[in-house]
Structures are given as C-alpha cells and as structure tokens.
Amino acid sequence: MPSVRLLLVPLALTLGHATAWAQAPVVRTPPPEKRPWDPSAPQPAEQVPAPSRNDSPDDTSWTGFPGAATAPTGPEAATLPRLPEVPPLVAVPDDEEPVPVAPSTPRIPEPPPGPPPVPNRVSLLGARSVGPGGVAVGLSLGFPVASVRAALGVLPRVDVLAGFDTLYGMMNEPRLGLRWTALDGGPRWSLGLVMEGSHAFFLRSASLEDRGARYLSGRRNWNLMPGLVGTFQLRGPRATRFFADVRYHVALDTEPIQRTPLGGLPPDLVSSGSVPVRLGAEVPLSEKTSYSVSLGGDFRSRPEDATFMPVVSIGIVTGL
C-alpha cells in the first residue's frame, strides 16, 4: 500500500502545524498607561488643549514657534554680524512702463596721449604766405576751367604765383602773379593783395566762335586780375580754413569783331571788365595736405558775354 502512505504523510504534517498554532498563547501589547515605566523610552509630548469653538483666535499661535529666543540687546548685540542695509521696495503703478536699463559695456582703456598734431598752415587759395623757401602746389577740376597752381615764398609775406588754366583744350592760359599778406592776424585770419596776369590761347579764332571758349571763360588774349583775398580759420591745428577772393578782371581783346552791320572796322584793341568772386574752403587732411572746394561766379559787363557765369571747382592743395 505505498500510494496510501504517500497521501497520509502530508496530511499528518498539515494537521500538526495547525494544532501547534492553535495552542500558542497570544501576547497583546498593553495600553500606554499600563506599560512598565522605562526611562530610556521616548516620552509623549505635552498635549496642547484645542481652543473651543466660541473662543477668540490666538494670533500669537500662528507666529510663535517652540524654542523661540529673544534677540540680544546692548553690548551683546554689538558683537553680532550686521547685514547690509536694503532700501525699501517702492511700488510701481501698473500703468507706468518700466524704464529700460541699457546693458553695461566694458570700459575700454584710453590709449596714452601722443604728441599734439602739427598745425596745417599751407594755403594756396587764401591770403596766408607760405614763407621764405616754402612751396605750395594745387590741382582743381570744375566748370568752366581746370587749373594747376603753385606758390613760391620769396619773402616772409610775399609769394610768387604761377599757374595754368585750361577750358579742357579749347582755351589754354598760363598765369603769373604775386601775393602779398598785408595783414597777418596770427593763425586765425589774414588779409592780402594779389595780382595776376595771363595770356590766353584759343583753339578757334574769334571770327569762327559764337558761344565757345571766350563766352564760357570770359578771358581774352591778355588778362589782368588784381584783387583782395581774405582767410579765416577755425580753432584747432587741423581746423577748416575759409577764404574769399574778389578781383577785377580787365580783359584786353586783340581780335575784336564788329558785330553791327555797317559799323566800320573795329579798333585794334578792345577792353572790358568783369568781377570774379570766389568763396570756398581748404580742409586740412594732414600737416601739409588739404582738399579745396570753391564756389562763385563772374559778373560780366561785355555785351556778347553772359551777364553771370557760375563757377565751381574741387581740388587738392599740398606743400612741398
């Protein structure tokens, strides 16, 4: 009967364990008030009575906390570390926009100051002389003529002037003259007298020309141009230098034409006058070099010339 034994052995083991559990005594934990007193055991905290429903609320119970200590006063407070004072917060109305704060940029250290700039005193179109041994040259392009000029200082206030004007090939005119600085007001202003003479060569004869080189330039075969020149410079070694040039142009025509029928033979020499006015500036770029701008016009009295001819030019002036 091996199969019956195999079934009875597990059944007996199960019943034996159940009987042992049933006979084991049950130990219950006594309530706190009936436990034996143990000094090392944690003691219950003191109970705080809850307020009644109709009692007034105690506001100090919300701010106070166990173990609160009072701040020291008197000499003991002087030894405590002090916190930095914080300015009070200011309320900003909602309708005001906050002021934008520009981001701070790192400050770049300034370079050490160098030597002061050398003042520019080289003037070719104004009244200031270049001084003994000084040389100034200039080139300008404009309407109606382009010109090349040079000044050579022979005396402290006297320069010899030389130049060449051209109406872009239709008229070529070499010039020669003098400039004298009559009044020298230092580096700021000066006043001078100038005299120039020239002989003009025309590409076409006067009989074949109607409104050509003579009409545009106002020049004739021989020309004399005495005048007055003034200069005024702003403060600073490289400041702009303004000039004004007013002259009286005497034109001597050795090829006059009789334009009136039955007027007879014209004279061998006819003279006429005009007033050229130039206003401009020399703007220094360096110690000896400047660029120049000139505006103005010629007021003429000759019948066959224009009553007013505008003049404009731009160029460069430098000292050698």
Side-chain angles (χ1 to χ4, degrees):
M1 302 278 291
S3 59
V4 177
R5 292 178 181 178
L6 293 175
L7 294 175
L8 292 177
V9 171
L11 182 60
L13 294 175
T14 304
L15 293 176
H17 282 287
T19 304
W21 279 100
Q23 294 177 358
V26 178
V27 180
R28 298 182 179 275
T29 304
E33 61 274 7
K34 295 182 179 181
R35 295 179 188 173
W37 182 78
D38 186 2
S40 61
Q43 300 299 320
E46 182 181 357
Q47 296 183 0
V48 179
S52 302
R53 178 179 300 177
N54 297 329
D55 293 345
S56 59
D58 187 6
D59 296 336
T60 60
S61 62
W62 297 96
T63 59
F65 57 92
T70 59
T73 58
E76 298 179 357
T79 59
L80 297 178
R82 295 183 178 274
L83 298 177
E85 296 184 0
V86 180
L89 299 178
V90 180
V92 179
D94 296 338
D95 55 348
E96 294 185 5
E97 298 182 357
V99 179
V101 180
S104 59
T105 56
R107 184 176 181 182
I108 302 176
E110 297 181 358
V118 179
N120 184 306
R121 305 299 183 200
V122 180
S123 178
L124 182 62
L125 304 178
R128 177 173 296 279
S129 172
V130 295
V135 178
V137 295
L139 170 66
S140 64
L141 301 176
F143 174 84
V145 299
S147 64
V148 178
R149 292 188 177 182
L152 174 63
V154 293
L155 294 175
R157 293 191 177 186
V158 178
D159 297 339
V160 174
L161 304 177
F164 181 82
D165 288 1
T166 177
L167 188 62
Y168 302 97
M170 293 187 294
M171 185 274 301
N172 300 302
E173 179 190 30
R175 305 160 66 102
L176 190 64
L178 293 173
R179 178 174 60 177
W180 173 43
T181 305
L183 298 176
D184 189 358
R188 298 294 306 280
W189 65 274
S190 56
L191 189 66
L193 300 175
V194 62
M195 167 67 80
E196 286 188 283
S198 66
H199 179 64
F201 300 91
F202 296 92
L203 184 64
R204 304 180 65 181
S205 63
S207 59
L208 301 176
E209 186 180 90
D210 185 14
R211 299 254 176 125
R214 291 172 176 82
Y215 175 82
L216 294 175
S217 65
R219 315 288 170 80
R220 293 301 184 265
N221 303 93
W222 295 94
N223 305 274
L224 292 175
M225 286 173 284
L228 186 67
V229 183
T231 301
F232 178 78
Q233 186 170 8
L234 301 178
R235 293 186 181 275
R238 303 285 176 84
T240 302
R241 184 169 47 249
F242 298 96
F243 67 87
D245 188 334
V246 180
R247 305 191 188 186
Y248 184 75
H249 177 201
V250 180
L252 303 176
D253 190 359
T254 58
E255 301 179 64
I257 298 177
Q258 182 58 261
R259 301 182 182 274
T260 303
L262 304 177
L265 293 176
D268 294 335
L269 181 65
V270 175
S271 63
S272 61
S274 62
V275 180
V277 178
R278 305 289 185 269
L279 301 175
E282 294 174 330
V283 183
L285 299 175
S286 64
E287 176 185 351
K288 294 184 178 181
T289 304
S290 308
Y291 71 84
S292 63
V293 179
S294 178
L295 300 173
D298 296 346
F299 298 88
R300 302 172 182 174
S301 60
R302 193 159 181 158
E304 57 265 26
D305 286 350
T307 305
F308 175 77
M309 178 63 66
V311 175
V312 59
S313 65
I314 184 172
I316 189 169
V317 176
T318 186
L320 302 179

